[in-house]
Amino acid sequence: MKKTKAALGASLLITTALWSTANAASWQDNLSSAANQLSQNSAQSGSGLSLSSLTHLLNGGNQALNANNMNNAAGILQYCTQQKLVSSSGTAGIKEKLFDKLGLSNAQQQKQPAEFQQGLSGLLNTGKGEQLNLGALGQSPLAEKVKTKACDLVLKQGAKFISG
């Protein structure tokens, strides 16, 4: 009788463990599927980078949002002004001095450097050697914070460049 109870108890324990494992696997599959679907929907909707990517950019070092050269920085400043991501009154003087120093004072000269043209379209060539499309970040409050931070950092870079 004891052996039967022990066998029944062991069988019940094994069945419960298998059931729990199956439910956990099913739950994990459902969670994975939901995450994949959310990721696909985000990519298809054109809503920009994921929440974690935006947070990483916002909390990352300045190199993640600094321009890697002054031609790109000048273009980004123009983009930021047009998109109203920086105060035009505070940016105008720095931007104009930067344009003068780089020889980008007229429209013909501005067509020359590819990095400047990329900046004008919102493509930030970062200090980490990557390219970040500010226009594709989306419109969420977090995306707007990332864009604003990038514009502020590039503005500070421009100010240092013209003062140095």
Side-chain angles (χ1 to χ4, degrees), residues 17-31:
L18 288 174
W19 181 80
S20 295
T21 303
N23 277 344
S26 174
W27 175 80
Q28 201 170 19
D29 288 343
N30 287 340
L31 183 59

Side-chain angles (χ1 to χ4, degrees), residues 44-107:
Q44 290 172 352
S45 69
S47 63
L49 296 176
S50 70
L51 180 63
S52 64
S53 296
L54 289 171
T55 303
H56 177 72
L57 285 171
L58 192 59
N59 296 328
N62 289 353
Q63 290 298 324
L65 294 173
N66 272 340
N68 70 352
N69 66 62
M70 283 302 111
N71 282 318
N72 186 244
I76 287 291
L77 288 179
Q78 183 68 22
Y79 172 85
C80 292
T81 302
Q82 290 170 342
Q83 299 298 313
K84 297 180 174 59
L85 295 167
V86 290
S87 157
S88 60
S89 62
T91 307
I94 292 172
K95 186 179 71 171
E96 295 309 316
K97 288 178 185 175
L98 184 58
F99 279 25
D100 287 342
K101 193 163 188 171
L102 292 171
L104 300 172
S105 299
N106 65 52

Side-chain angles (χ1 to χ4, degrees), residues 3-16:
K3 286 183 180 180
T4 306
K5 283 185 179 180
L8 184 58
S11 176
L12 182 59
L13 183 62
I14 290 171
T15 302
T16 302

